[in-house]
Amino acid sequence: MSANKKFLPHWLTKHLFAYDPAHLPLDKVAELHRKLARFRVDTPEVSIVIPAYNEEANLLNMLSSLAEQEITRPTELLVVNNNSVDRTQEILDACGVRSIIERKPGVAHARQAGLMAARGKIMANADSDCLYPSGWLEALTAPLQQPQVACTYGLYSFLPSEKSSRISLFFYEKAAHLINSVRNRHRAYLNVYGFNFAFRRADALAVGGFEVDSGREGSVAELIAAGAPPPPSGRCEDGLMALALLNEGKGKIWRVTSINARAWTSDRRLVAEGSLVKAFTKRVWHSVRDLGFYLSPSQKTPS
């Protein structure tokens, strides 16, 4: 995980260290093994569940951020290895992280496997290539103490690479979150990001779990990051889960705007577009085109 540290929050820079997956820094691994020991509990109240596919280049950075979490309840950390062929499993084992292997390819299968294996009453979803502030878990899950809230999601910021600047990414995020606010009135499920949302596990099981044949690899957030609109049907595993919880009367979808609930993720989807201007233009065009749908109070979705 590479990023220009300029203009980044101070807490973030300590987790952006470089390492060689083939020659892990033993001192860092030992430190993480020690700090992550508090997540090795038998009866957790909260489960942090993370899918991972060939994430050897990012795992230590992500684990470093989770090792600093300020937790007030027994919490477990569970990583679902989705058939990785690199050193992902080796890194997880070295750091003492509980993991399971899901042979069926695709993030939806990995999330469903994590749901079934998790032991906490609350499930917080994260991703292997993201970094999380120390107050992330508490900020994201606190609203679930209200029975009328079924699902929470936080916002995101992008880590700049050599092909982007933090300043330009900041303005892109501002525009993206403005559109997010518009959708949040009647289409909040389209804003739910697989790398940053939480729900009660019993509710998720009651609605049948994740939609494993959701028709896409990836999540709503990945489409948004690429400047593409989420499918109106919500057919992504994260959006479908939120929509199912809403439609089955489990409660409302809650947008957590606290800076503590903001995940920092790679800008690789944006860079793939060629430029931020191109990604921004595409995003605005799709949003204007779909504005009527976003503002419609009906919860019905097109077939």
Side-chain angles (χ1 to χ4, degrees), residues 35-55:
K35 289 185 175 181
L36 293 171
R38 60 196 177 124
F39 293 111
R40 296 191 284 273
V41 295
D42 294 327
T43 55
E45 293 183 24
V46 179
S47 297
I48 302 174
V49 182
I50 304 170
Y53 173 68
N54 290 348
E55 292 286 359

Side-chain angles (χ1 to χ4, degrees), residues 10-272:
H10 178 70
W11 70 266
L12 195 61
T13 58
K14 68 179 293 186
H15 305 303
L16 292 173
F17 54 86
Y19 66 93
D20 179 359
H23 302 90
L24 295 177
L26 298 183
D27 55 342
K28 176 60 70 173
V29 170
E31 177 188 12
L32 290 178
H33 192 284
R34 174 177 57 81
K35 289 185 175 181
L36 293 171
R38 60 196 177 124
F39 293 111
R40 296 191 284 273
V41 295
D42 294 327
T43 55
E45 293 183 24
V46 179
S47 297
I48 302 174
V49 182
I50 304 170
Y53 173 68
N54 290 348
E55 292 286 359
E56 64 176 14
N58 302 308
L59 268 178
L60 281 189
N61 305 103
M62 181 275 295
L63 291 174
S64 176
S65 72
L66 290 186
E68 303 296 327
Q69 285 298 300
E70 299 166 354
I71 58 177
T72 60
R73 294 162 289 178
T75 302
E76 73 168 341
L77 175 60
L78 171 64
V79 176
V80 182
N81 182 350
N82 196 200
N83 254 351
S84 298
V85 295
D86 64 357
R87 293 181 171 85
T88 290
Q89 191 61 50
E90 177 183 332
I91 294 173
L92 293 172
D93 292 342
C95 292
V97 176
R98 181 190 174 211
S99 64
I100 61 172
I101 296 177
E102 172 53 53
R103 297 297 181 189
K104 296 177 182 177
V107 67
H109 287 290
R111 293 203 191 282
Q112 178 65 13
L115 172 64
M116 300 307 295
R119 296 172 295 192
K121 294 180 180 179
I122 292 176
M123 183 166 159
N125 299 270
D127 269 4
S128 301
D129 62 349
C130 296
L131 300 177
Y132 299 90
S134 60
W136 169 73
L137 185 64
E138 290 299 313
L140 186 67
T141 60
L144 290 171
Q145 296 176 15
Q146 306 173 52
Q148 67 270 29
V149 175
C151 176
T152 65
Y153 74 94
L155 301 179
Y156 61 87
S157 288
F158 290 109
L159 293 165
S161 63
E162 289 80 1
K163 297 182 179 181
S164 63
S165 73
R166 180 60 208 140
I167 294 178
S168 58
L169 288 170
F170 171 81
F171 287 108
Y172 181 91
E173 292 159 12
K174 285 295 185 182
H177 293 157
L178 177 60
I179 297 170
N180 175 292
S181 298
V182 174
R183 282 198 305 259
N184 201 64
R185 288 190 62 187
H186 301 299
R187 295 288 183 268
Y189 65 91
L190 292 177
N191 291 331
V192 174
Y193 317 121
F195 56 74
N196 195 11
F197 79 119
F199 48 74
R200 285 179 286 273
R201 181 171 179 266
D203 288 346
L205 293 174
V207 302
F210 286 97
E211 183 62 66
V212 295
D213 61 347
S214 52
R216 285 185 183 270
E217 297 294 317
S219 68
V220 169
E222 290 175 330
L223 296 175
I224 290 174
S233 64
R235 294 204 67 79
C236 288
E237 32 80 27
D238 42 15
L240 274 180
M241 172 60 78
L243 183 59
L245 292 169
L246 181 67
N247 286 344
E248 293 299 319
K250 301 301 180 182
K252 59 186 175 181
I253 301 169
W254 189 274
R255 181 176 186 252
V256 184
T257 58
S258 167
I259 195 71
N260 287 327
R262 180 167 299 197
W264 286 74
T265 188
S266 168
D267 70 348
R268 58 188 176 185
R269 299 282 177 174
L270 290 176
V271 171

